[in-house]
Amino acid sequence: MAEYVVWFERLGKGDVETVGGKNASLGEMISNLAAAGVSVPGGFATTAQAYRDFLEHNDLTRKINDALDKLDVNDVVALAETGAEIRRWVAEAPFQPELEQQIRDAFAQISDGNAELAVAVRSSATAEDLPDASFAGQQETFLNIRGVENVLVAVKEVFASLFNDRAISYRVHQGFDHAGVALSAGIQRMVRSETGAAGVMFTLDTESGFRDVVFITASYGLGEMVVQGAVNPDEFYVHKKTLLNKRPSILRRNLGSKLQKMIYGSEASAGKSVQIVDVSREDRMRFALTDAQVEDLSRQAIEIEKHYGHPMDIEWALDGDDNKMYIVQARPETVKSRSDVSVMERYLLKQKGKVLVEGRAIGQRIGAGPVRIVNNIKEMGRVQDGDVLVTDMTDPDWEPVMKRASAIITNRGGRTCHAAIIARELGVPAIVGCGDATELLSDGQVVTASCAEGDTGKIYEGRLEFEIQRNSIESMPKLPFKIMMNVGNPDRAFDFATLPNQGVGLARLEFIINRMIGVHPKALLNYDSLPRELQQTVDKRIAGYTSPVDFYVEKLVEGISTLAAAFHPEKVIVRLSDFKSNEYANLIGGKLYEPEEENPMLGFRGASRYISENFRDCFELECRALKKVREQMGFTNVEVMVPFVRTVGEAEHAIELLAKNGLKRGEEGLRIIMMCELPTNALLADDFLQHFDGYSIGSNDLTQLTLGLDRDSGIVSHLFDERDPAVKKLLSMAIEACNKAGKYIGICGQGPSDHPDLAKWLMEQGISSVSLNPDSVLGTWFYLAEKHGK
């Protein structure tokens, strides 16, 4: 008698042809990774031969192939009709007796007398989960199936799902022969994540391809809600090397809305075994996983990646009963790990416009076109080439039309759902989890969808201009100094790190405070005395964190450590906050604490704030965050920069305060750099440099203060030019003083980004590094190489 059923522990990654990619991978992990702490629930699989014999037993093989040979998959109506007909043939056909009996026997063994044991019945195709094609979500999975009769029905439904519309279309577009693909059904013990949590993780950043992190999404209940994109999950980034060094390693936490969860239903048959319920507000406002659980998951992910030897896409579940983590699927990641890292493709938005909707960015491209709002799968035929597809939620069934769209916008979904994976594979920019895009956008309205500005995707009104830059990294010529980057936005850190660079010459803390925190530090320090209405606003911001002050410090830690990890081991120079009073006042609660100044540019800012009794407690929070990143997380590539130092006395006082707060020059190799942005800094460079390890020139303020003009004033802004002889004289003085003292000298102002000829002049003056805006790195690099060669 043919062997139609195989237990997972007898399987390995070499058995794809026998039980498909998914089931072979489960067997591989059970057999080889249990000792490494990877927990996989047990079970058994039907074989590909069982499936083929089932079709032959019912004279379906030729019948199905004939129907598919005549099909044009680009005809959405014909595809739907043919797929439905084939699935009906399969569902109505009886199992061959040997297969049915072997499934019954295996289920009796796994249930061990518990006839109501809950299992998952998963599909596993022989062409699935290959390193060069994901087949993500192409076939069905059925959860909480109880009783052998229901298992038999679910296995039949899994067999039929090989002929879902999306699966048929995907095979054609990937060049796979229908007849060459067979299906295995995996029957696996259920993890009680309905009382815990579940989600997806990747062993790289899905948007940039950055390999040094584990990216985790998490939500309550069964994992299908995350996989399908039906919820906006929590997100976590974990730095692999830091975790393996047994240090705190979570770089980023994003709280998802997690509005609903999938739990066990009252019935045990396929299609009725689960139900969707609302998540309580209390649970929505906290993370679905603790930091310890995030790190436990990440360790398992690292072991799995190490074993397979390439980046992985992994589904996991937290059992709410035994509080243990389980891996329920693992497959190769197939998009970013395949991309050509030697060629950089960058989409740059050339115009700004009105932002209509925001969500999570998928891919790093830009698309524009007329909005086509689609309410359900029956309306997919309305989508024409170049349309912007807008809907509540896509799923892989929509793959036949997703590739027609110039961009995809959804109300729901996260960055690891199947639809997001398919969008990345197709190279179509997608913005998911927008909340109310279908209400805010109008059918036929022309929009531009940009995923090229970080984690947040933006839908702009109208068709905006953008360009695509492509460069080969191998073609980057050598330069006599360092080209660093100005990076304020941690969202873009992994992406920018792929550019040729020698670190970050300016990381602005105020960008992190404005973007990731949004609340005045005084309002968080004095939370208990805030008006009730303001407390409620703050509560929404700090959800998931233990206290208002912890929220502020941890968000700073997340922003700084993300930059540090992205560019490690290169230097990341972090500038302490340099908000002016009017900018601080714009933060939540800011107006309660900020003075009204006639000229904030020349007022309460920079070092004057840090040494002031009024602001010192806020400054100490910044120090606390930097100390944690350097000492606890181990990112000693982070250096500190002090901005807007007016006098040598202020310089001395600021250095003392930093040391008092655990940031002492020289300890653990810490360099403290000073911004050179006032004429006095250049004129008295020898005196200032007694207290600092070097200068980073801020050419914007230096130019304004030297020429006595406000560059934001339209009346005099035409006179603003960093190449003015007076400015250049001060620049030359600063460079000469630093080189004479053997100390660091760089420039992080806008000047070299705007004027490559200024960058060339600085190179000739002997500057150590030029820190550029990322969008000007390539152009300036090639310009300087050309000039240097002459």
Side-chain angles (χ1 to χ4, degrees):
M1 186 169 67
E3 186 178 44
Y4 285 152
V5 165
V6 186
W7 291 92
F8 285 157
E9 50 263 40
R10 287 178 48 204
L11 297 169
K13 61 185 176 183
D15 293 311
V16 174
E17 286 301 317
T18 304
V19 292
K22 202 175 292 176
N23 288 334
S25 185
L26 289 171
E28 177 74 17
M29 290 187 290
I30 288 173
S31 305
N32 295 285
L33 292 175
V38 176
S39 302
V40 180
F44 60 91
T46 64
T47 63
Q49 193 59 48
Y51 166 81
R52 292 191 181 101
D53 288 355
F54 163 73
L55 294 186
E56 284 296 327
H57 179 73
N58 292 285
D59 297 321
L60 287 176
T61 308
R62 187 177 53 78
K63 195 174 173 184
I64 290 171
N65 291 338
D66 287 347
L68 293 175
D69 287 344
K70 291 183 281 190
L71 176 65
D72 174 8
V73 294
N74 293 313
D75 182 338
V76 178
V77 175
L79 174 62
E81 290 174 352
T82 302
E85 185 175 38
I86 295 174
R87 292 194 296 276
R88 182 173 52 78
W89 294 341
V90 173
E92 292 176 355
F95 283 126
Q96 63 271 43
E98 299 95 327
L99 173 57
E100 181 173 332
Q101 190 56 52
Q102 288 185 40
I103 293 172
R104 287 182 181 276
D105 291 346
F107 186 77
Q109 191 172 332
I110 196 175
S111 59
D112 193 25
N114 177 12
E116 288 299 298
L117 175 76
V119 295
V121 181
R122 304 180 186 279
S123 63
S124 180
T126 56
E128 185 175 48
D129 300 343
L130 304 177
D132 57 354
S134 76
F135 286 75
Q138 300 305 312
Q139 287 83 44
E140 298 294 345
T141 289
F142 299 98
L143 304 176
N144 186 35
I145 304 301
R146 300 192 302 277
V148 71
E149 301 302 330
N150 289 319
V151 168
L152 289 165
V153 172
V155 170
K156 192 88 64 73
E157 292 289 344
V158 162
F159 283 3
S161 73
L162 191 61
F163 304 102
N164 285 336
D165 302 354
R166 63 196 184 223
I168 296 169
S169 172
Y170 189 86
R171 287 196 295 274
V172 169
H173 292 130
Q174 290 286 336
F176 283 85
D177 178 14
H178 297 296
V181 181
L183 205 71
S184 161
I187 291 83
Q188 184 181 34
R189 289 176 182 274
M190 280 292 293
V191 177
R192 285 297 300 272
S193 62
E194 68 150 359
T195 57
V200 181
M201 58 183 172
F202 287 81
T203 59
L204 47 55
D205 173 40
T206 53
E207 303 312 308
S208 66
F210 184 67
R211 295 281 186 98
D212 296 345
V213 291
V214 178
F215 173 50
I216 299 172
T217 58
S219 196
Y220 299 114
L222 305 181
E224 279 300 290
M225 293 290 278
V226 178
V227 171
Q228 291 168 5
V231 290
N232 299 337
D234 297 336
E235 296 178 352
F236 306 90
Y237 286 93
V238 178
H239 192 236
K240 294 174 184 174
K241 186 177 178 182
T242 305
L243 180 68
L244 294 176
N245 286 337
K246 297 185 168 57
R247 292 176 177 270
S249 57
I250 299 175
L251 301 177
R252 299 283 295 282
R253 303 171 184 83
N254 292 315
L255 189 72
S257 55
K258 308 183 296 292
L259 296 175
Q260 295 179 311
K261 65 178 177 177
M262 182 182 284
I263 61 171
Y264 288 0
S266 54
E267 297 187 41
S269 58
K272 300 175 184 176
S273 57
V274 294
Q275 61 179 322
I276 294 170
V277 298
D278 291 338
V279 175
S280 70
R281 185 181 184 281
E282 183 185 3
D283 283 344
R284 292 201 311 269
M285 299 300 277
R286 63 180 180 87
F287 289 106
L289 296 176
T290 65
D291 285 2
Q293 289 168 334
V294 169
E295 292 185 339
D296 176 21
L297 262 182
S298 299
R299 286 187 198 93
Q300 295 197 46
I302 291 168
E303 289 295 337
I304 293 168
E305 179 182 53
K306 183 172 140 192
H307 179 76
Y308 281 90
H310 46 70
M312 298 294 288
D313 166 0
I314 302 161
E315 290 180 32
W316 60 270
L318 167 66
D319 192 307
D321 291 359
D322 66 16
N323 213 32
K324 289 182 181 174
M325 290 288 183
Y326 294 91
I327 304 302
V328 294
Q329 286 188 41
R331 61 175 76 85
E333 192 280 339
T334 60
V335 181
K336 281 297 174 183
S337 53
R338 271 197 293 164
S339 59
D340 184 356
V341 293
S342 67
V343 177
M344 291 176 296
E345 181 182 80
R346 314 189 69 74
Y347 280 66
L348 300 172
L349 202 58
K350 305 299 286 182
Q351 293 176 283
K352 287 291 181 184
K354 179 184 177 184
V355 177
L356 302 173
V357 185
E358 291 186 347
R360 305 296 281 160
I362 306 297
Q364 293 166 327
R365 299 185 174 190
I366 299 171
V371 165
R372 194 65 58 219
I373 296 177
V374 176
N375 296 309
N376 57 62
I377 197 167
K378 293 175 183 171
E379 298 179 359
M380 283 199 303
R382 297 178 55 231
V383 180
Q384 302 301 308
D385 289 346
D387 284 354
V388 174
L389 170 61
V390 179
T391 187
D392 181 53
M393 181 181 88
T394 63
D395 67 35
D397 278 330
W398 296 43
E399 188 267 344
V401 297
M402 286 168 76
K403 64 181 179 297
R404 292 184 193 167
S406 61
I408 298 163
I409 315 295
T410 70
N411 293 339
R412 294 189 285 160
R415 287 169 51 200
T416 58
C417 67
H418 281 325
I421 294 169
I422 299 296
R424 283 190 203 98
E425 227 171 82
L426 295 171
V428 178
I431 301 175
V432 301
C434 296
D436 48 5
T438 50
E439 294 170 27
L440 294 176
L441 302 175
S442 307
D443 210 65
Q445 176 183 19
V446 175
V447 298
T448 299
S450 171
C451 295
E453 299 167 80
D455 283 357
T456 302
K458 297 177 181 178
I459 297 99
Y460 293 96
E461 188 173 53
R463 191 183 291 272
L464 304 184
E465 283 185 39
F466 63 91
E467 68 170 336
I468 307 169
Q469 288 185 354
R470 291 185 181 89
N471 285 92
S472 167
I473 290 178
E474 278 80 18
S475 68
M476 303 304 286
K478 294 276 186 279
L479 292 174
F481 62 44
K482 291 182 178 181
I483 285 201
M484 302 175 83
M485 276 191 282
N486 301 332
V487 182
N489 184 356
D491 286 357
R492 304 295 307 277
F494 301 149
D495 177 29
F496 289 151
T498 62
L499 283 167
N501 73 85
Q502 286 153 307
V504 175
L506 172 63
R508 300 178 180 90
L509 268 201
E510 57 267 22
F511 194 103
I512 297 170
I513 295 167
N514 198 39
R515 182 79 175 253
M516 297 174 67
I517 296 172
V519 186
H520 196 289
K522 278 283 187 189
L524 295 168
L525 284 160
N526 299 292
Y527 172 84
D528 291 339
S529 62
L530 292 177
R532 183 68 198 124
E533 188 179 332
L534 202 52
Q535 280 187 344
Q536 289 172 341
T537 304
V538 170
D539 286 344
K540 290 177 185 171
R541 287 273 178 163
I542 68 173
Y545 292 82
T546 52
S547 74
V549 169
D550 280 344
F551 164 74
Y552 190 82
V553 173
E554 284 305 312
K555 279 298 177 192
L556 286 177
V557 168
E558 289 173 24
I560 298 165
S561 65
T562 297
L563 293 165
F567 290 90
H568 192 271
E570 300 286 0
K571 300 292 188 189
V572 174
I573 302 174
V574 177
R575 188 178 75 183
L576 295 162
S577 65
D578 191 25
F579 275 134
K580 301 162 205 58
S581 54
N582 60 325
E583 293 167 333
Y584 259 125
N586 288 330
L587 296 174
I588 294 167
K591 289 183 174 59
L592 296 174
Y593 304 102
E594 288 298 322
E596 285 197 22
E597 297 183 282
E598 286 295 323
N599 192 343
M601 175 67 72
L602 300 178
F604 192 38
R605 61 178 289 200
S608 298
R609 271 190 182 264
Y610 315 150
I611 64 179
S612 153
E613 290 292 340
N614 185 39
F615 191 80
R616 193 173 299 176
D617 51 357
C618 303
F619 170 69
E620 288 170 355
L621 299 183
E622 296 180 27
C623 294
R624 213 162 104 188
L626 281 158
K627 192 168 185 287
K628 178 175 179 179
V629 171
R630 282 183 52 85
E631 291 186 10
Q632 292 183 42
M633 300 182 79
F635 289 116
T636 52
N637 60 322
V638 167
E639 300 187 333
V640 177
M641 181 145 69
V642 181
F644 220 78
V645 185
R646 291 181 168 98
T647 67
V648 176
E650 272 195 345
E652 197 170 352
H653 201 163
I655 287 291
E656 286 171 2
L657 275 177
L658 284 165
K660 186 179 171 186
N661 283 282
L663 295 169
K664 187 174 182 182
R665 271 181 72 198
E667 279 193 0
E668 296 292 325
L670 174 62
R671 289 196 312 181
I672 300 179
I673 311 295
M674 190 184 108
M675 280 284 275
C676 174
E677 52 193 332
L678 295 92
T680 183
N681 300 154
L683 293 167
L684 298 179
D686 293 341
D687 299 321
F688 280 104
L689 288 169
Q690 297 295 314
H691 305 286
F692 290 94
D693 297 297
Y695 268 0
S696 182
I697 298 165
S699 57
N700 299 357
D701 276 355
L702 185 62
T703 302
Q704 292 189 90
L705 296 170
T706 302
L707 299 180
L709 58 81
D710 177 0
R711 68 188 172 123
D712 294 328
S713 166
I715 303 167
V716 295
S717 62
H718 64 284
L719 294 171
F720 182 92
D721 191 337
E722 294 97 328
R723 297 166 295 181
D724 183 273
V727 178
K728 287 174 88 170
K729 186 170 182 66
L730 291 170
L731 291 172
S732 188
M733 290 172 69
I735 294 168
E736 186 181 347
C738 287
N739 284 333
K740 182 177 153 192
K743 297 196 173 186
Y744 170 83
I745 177 65
I747 186 167
C748 59
Q750 185 72 24
S753 295
D754 289 345
H755 308 295
D757 59 323
L758 178 62
K760 175 178 177 287
W761 180 83
L762 290 163
M763 178 171 72
E764 292 164 349
Q765 295 297 305
I767 203 162
S768 316
S769 73
V770 173
S771 193
L772 302 167
N773 294 339
D775 60 359
S776 63
V777 165
L778 297 175
T780 305
W781 193 305
F782 282 113
Y783 172 86
L784 292 174
E786 182 187 333
K787 297 297 178 185
H788 178 60
K790 291 183 178 177

